[in-house]
Amino acid sequence: MSKIAALTDHLGYWLRQVSNHVSQSFARKLAAEDVTVAEWVLLRVLYDEPSMAPSRIAETMGFTRGAVTKLADRLIAKDLVVRAADPEDGRAQTLALTAKGRQCAPKLAALADQNDAECFGYLTNHDRRALRQILEDIVARLALDSIPIE
Amino acid sequence: MSKIAALTDHLGYWLRQVSNHVSQSFARKLAAEDVTVAEWVLLRVLYDEPSMAPSRIAETMGFTRGAVTKLADRLIAKDLVVRAADPEDGRAQTLALTAKGRQCAPKLAALADQNDAECFGYLTNHDRRALRQILEDIVARLALDSIPIE
DNA sequence: TATTGTTATACTCTATAACTATA
DNA sequence: TATAGTTATAGAGTATAACAATA
């Protein structure tokens, strides 16, 4: 006879609590600009490229191609993104920011800055660096795990 | 003219990456037992109490009452939870684990242990403790923020 | 045959609000 | 009037698979 683990015994639990709060706080800020968190990610990815294929975006963002299509449809409806045919490959499409999308990005980035400051600003520099380093290490490890064994 | 923040400049981004991966990994394990992450949380909360009112559960889990009702409906359909009327207050209901629910909980707790070990086991003890301490501090701070100013 | 992208479907989670019954 | 809980609705995110067009 033994006691079973409590919810609070798992790092995953604490991570979920904090991450959900931070993301929801960010989502509320973005909602004022009529943008969701996933839409912001796609806009930010496109901000660094003149144009990008949906399949490459899906790979970069860790989304499925279907999800990128749906996301792009919404952003196109808001005139933040344009879809164009690839002249070299009849199957391929490319996505790019519109002028409005490019103009909108800095405002959204400022909201992301503000949200991070509100959620983590009171931490010491030491704790912020430690948290970031551990999280980056975990992500790097995940990337390794997803590489097929040679 | 200035560059705007990258996705990777925000702690919220790294937190979301890791938390989503950990939760999805856990969800896949729970799916083998036909349980979702939110259902596990409710089951685990009920495991420590003979019975509990939906409103108290909602408060404890940070869910709305409507969400608890829907979650409870699913768990009742799976014969893991029972709903009963409160004899003292005609408006009130109580939720409790069934024998099957109580029997199921340790297996689910073991999956939670396993998932945490897989996701964080390779970290040093120092890093695991540091991560947990920082996350708990942030949650404590959130709890403070949600208390109305006197 | 394989690949690119879209479309369709479905389910979880989350949030809001209307509603019923009781206090 | 206020409270407890349910019900209805909706949108976001995620996943899978079927599909059309092209390679």
Side-chain angles (χ1 to χ4, degrees):
Chain A
M1 162 72 210
S2 57
K3 284 177 70 173
I4 73 173
L7 293 172
T8 52
D9 288 338
H10 301 110
L11 269 171
Y13 172 82
W14 294 104
L15 212 46
R16 203 160 56 239
Q17 300 295 314
V18 176
S19 176
N20 287 352
H21 178 272
V22 173
S23 289
Q24 280 165 35
S25 165
F26 187 29
R28 277 190 295 274
K29 291 182 177 68
L30 289 176
E33 303 293 328
D34 193 26
V35 170
T36 69
V37 174
E39 287 168 8
W40 149 248
V41 173
L42 178 43
L43 290 172
R44 187 61 189 79
V45 166
L46 287 178
Y47 190 81
D48 287 336
E49 306 275 347
S51 76
M52 221 170 155
S55 53
R56 239 184 87 220
I57 295 172
E59 217 177 320
T60 303
M61 295 174 65
F63 283 23
T64 62
R65 285 173 299 156
V68 171
T69 296
K70 206 161 66 169
L71 223 42
D73 285 345
R74 288 212 307 259
L75 290 168
I76 290 167
K78 293 174 190 170
D79 191 30
L80 298 173
V81 162
V82 280
R83 182 184 274 132
D86 183 326
E88 298 182 358
D89 185 334
R91 297 169 303 182
Q93 299 282 319
T94 64
L95 296 174
L97 292 188
T98 61
K100 186 176 168 192
R102 189 155 291 277
Q103 188 189 351
C104 189
K107 205 183 319 178
L108 304 178
L111 291 178
D113 291 340
Q114 183 196 336
N115 192 61
D116 238 47
E118 283 178 17
C119 292
F120 307 109
Y122 74 94
L123 288 178
T124 63
N125 283 336
H126 175 272
D127 277 358
R128 260 201 307 277
R129 271 200 303 270
L131 178 56
R132 170 140 177 185
Q133 178 249 307
I134 294 171
L135 293 173
E136 286 196 39
D137 283 356
I138 295 173
V139 170
R141 166 91 174 199
L142 297 179
L144 281 181
D145 285 353
S146 70
I147 295 171
I149 298 165
E150 308 174 51
Chain B
M1 160 77 207
S2 57
K3 284 177 69 171
I4 72 173
L7 293 171
T8 52
D9 287 338
H10 301 110
L11 269 171
Y13 172 82
W14 293 103
L15 211 48
R16 203 160 57 240
Q17 299 295 313
V18 176
S19 176
N20 287 352
H21 178 273
V22 173
S23 289
Q24 280 165 36
S25 165
F26 187 28
R28 277 191 295 273
K29 291 182 178 68
L30 289 176
E33 304 292 328
D34 193 26
V35 169
T36 69
V37 174
E39 287 168 8
W40 149 249
V41 173
L42 178 44
L43 291 173
R44 187 62 190 79
V45 166
L46 287 178
Y47 190 82
D48 288 336
E49 305 274 347
S51 77
M52 221 170 154
S55 52
R56 239 185 87 221
I57 295 172
E59 217 177 321
T60 303
M61 297 174 64
F63 282 22
T64 62
R65 286 174 299 155
V68 171
T69 296
K70 206 162 62 169
L71 222 42
D73 285 345
R74 289 212 307 260
L75 290 168
I76 289 166
K78 293 175 190 171
D79 191 28
L80 297 173
V81 162
V82 282
R83 183 183 275 132
D86 182 326
E88 296 181 358
D89 185 335
R91 296 169 302 181
Q93 300 281 320
T94 65
L95 296 175
L97 292 188
T98 61
K100 186 178 169 191
R102 190 155 291 277
Q103 189 187 352
C104 188
K107 205 182 321 177
L108 304 178
L111 291 179
D113 291 339
Q114 183 195 336
N115 192 61
D116 238 48
E118 283 178 17
C119 292
F120 307 108
Y122 73 95
L123 288 178
T124 63
N125 283 335
H126 174 270
D127 277 359
R128 261 199 308 276
R129 271 200 303 270
L131 179 55
R132 169 140 177 184
Q133 177 248 307
I134 294 171
L135 294 173
E136 286 195 38
D137 283 356
I138 296 173
V139 170
R141 166 90 175 199
L142 297 179
L144 280 181
D145 284 353
S146 69
I147 295 172
I149 298 166
E150 309 173 51

